[in-house]
Amino acid sequence: MARSILENGASTAAELAERLALTPAAVRRHLDHMVAEGVVEGREQKVYGSRGRGRPAKVFALTGAGRDQFDQQYDDLAAQALRFLAETGGDDAVMEFARRRVAYVAPDYERIMAAEPQLSPAEALARVFSAQGYAASVRELPLAGAADQLCQQHCPVSHVAHEFPQLCEAETEAIGKVLGTHVQRLATIAHGDGVCTTCIPKSKEG
C-alpha cells in the first residue's frame, strides 16, 4: 500500500481500494496501522474550484519516515561525500557535481520524444524521472491552462538535498534547458513538502 501511495501520490481510501482490489474496510484497517506507525498521514483533500456539499475526502500521503523505506539507505555516505567535496572544492564543485548527476535528463528526454512525439513535454519528463526512481506524473491545472505540473512523488536524494539544495537547483536547471524556457519549482520533498512539483509551460502548439 505504501508503494501505491509512493507511485500515485496522496490517495483516498476509496482510490487505494480500487487500485489494490481490496475492500474499503480492509484498506482503512491497513491505513490505521500505517498512521499509527508514522508511515502515512491523513490530510484534507485539496479541491480546485467549487466543490459539492459535505466535507472533502481525506487523502493519505507518505511521511518522511515512510519515504525512508524507499531507496535512501545510502544517504549518510552521499552526504559525507558531498561535505568533503564542499570543503575541498567549494560550492562551485558541489554545483558541478549536481549538474553532472542530472546529465541524463537531456538525452533521455530527446530519446523519449523521438520515440513518442505525441507526448507533451511534461509527460516525457515524467517518463525520464520515473525511470530514475522519482515516481513522476503530470497533473493538469484547471485554473492555469497554459501549464502543467510535473509531480515527483518520491525523491531518492531528498535527505541529502535538504543539506545540499544544489541537487534541486541543478534538476530544475536541467528541465529548463531541455524545454528551452523558464520553469518554476513550486515545492520540494527536500524542504518538507509532500511532493516535488514543477510548473511546466505548455507548448504553443499544445
Side-chain angles (χ1 to χ4, degrees), residues 3 17 21 28 50 64 68 95 126 144 161-162 168 172 194:
R3 172 67 66 176
R28 290 191 181 93
S50 60
D68 284 345
M95 191 64 194
H162 180 74
C168 297
T172 305

Side-chain angles (χ1 to χ4, degrees), residues 76-98:
D76 288 344
L77 178 61
Q80 290 173 20
L82 283 175
R83 289 182 196 120
F84 176 79
L85 185 61
E87 291 170 5
T88 56
D91 290 342
D92 289 344
V94 175
M95 191 64 194
E96 180 59 28
F97 169 82

Side-chain angles (χ1 to χ4, degrees), residues 134-151:
Y134 286 82
S137 61
V138 177
R139 181 182 303 159
E140 292 187 357
L141 297 177
L143 300 182
D148 286 324
Q149 269 191 0
L150 175 65
C151 301

Side-chain angles (χ1 to χ4, degrees), residues 172-195:
T172 305
E173 181 181 276
I175 293 171
K177 282 186 176 180
V178 299
L179 298 180
T181 187
H182 172 73
V183 298
Q184 184 177 3
R185 181 61 64 94
L186 304 176
T188 63
I189 293 171
H191 289 90
D193 299 300
V195 60

Side-chain angles (χ1 to χ4, degrees), residues 4-6 8-12 15 19 41 43 45 59-62 139 153 194:
S4 180
I5 296 174
L6 169 69
N8 296 279
S11 305
T12 65
E15 289 168 342
R19 199 179 298 144
E41 61 183 356
R43 304 173 179 170
Q45 186 176 34
V59 296
F60 296 88
L62 285 179
R139 181 182 303 159
Q153 310 293 348

Side-chain angles (χ1 to χ4, degrees), residues 8-180:
N8 296 279
S11 305
T12 65
E15 289 168 342
L16 287 166
E18 181 177 359
R19 199 179 298 144
L20 301 173
L22 297 172
T23 65
V27 167
R28 290 191 181 93
R29 284 196 298 272
H30 281 294
L31 287 171
D32 287 343
H33 182 66
M34 294 168 72
V35 168
E37 289 189 333
V39 176
V40 301
E41 61 183 356
R43 304 173 179 170
E44 186 175 289
Q45 186 176 34
K46 291 183 178 180
V47 178
Y48 296 95
S50 60
R51 61 177 176 86
R53 298 175 62 184
R55 298 181 61 185
K58 180 180 287 188
V59 296
F60 296 88
L62 285 179
T63 63
R67 287 196 185 86
D68 284 345
Q69 298 180 3
F70 297 96
D71 304 327
Q72 292 178 338
Q73 60 267 44
Y74 300 113
D75 280 354
D76 288 344
L77 178 61
Q80 290 173 20
L82 283 175
R83 289 182 196 120
F84 176 79
L85 185 61
E87 291 170 5
T88 56
D91 290 342
D92 289 344
V94 175
M95 191 64 194
E96 180 59 28
F97 169 82
R99 288 179 174 134
R100 290 193 183 189
R101 197 189 73 82
V102 293
Y104 64 86
V105 173
D108 287 4
Y109 176 82
E110 291 173 5
R111 174 179 53 79
I112 290 172
M113 287 300 288
E116 301 182 72
Q118 77 279 6
L119 294 177
S120 70
E123 289 169 338
L125 284 166
R127 300 275 185 92
V128 170
F129 285 108
S130 288
Q132 297 292 328
Y134 286 82
S137 61
V138 177
R139 181 182 303 159
E140 292 187 357
L141 297 177
L143 300 182
D148 286 324
Q149 269 191 0
L150 175 65
C151 301
Q152 293 157 268
Q153 310 293 348
H154 178 57
C155 176
V157 297
S158 61
H159 285 30
V160 181
H162 180 74
E163 182 175 350
F164 295 97
Q166 294 96 327
L167 296 174
C168 297
E169 293 167 12
E171 189 177 291
T172 305
E173 181 181 276
I175 293 171
K177 282 186 176 180
V178 299
L179 298 180

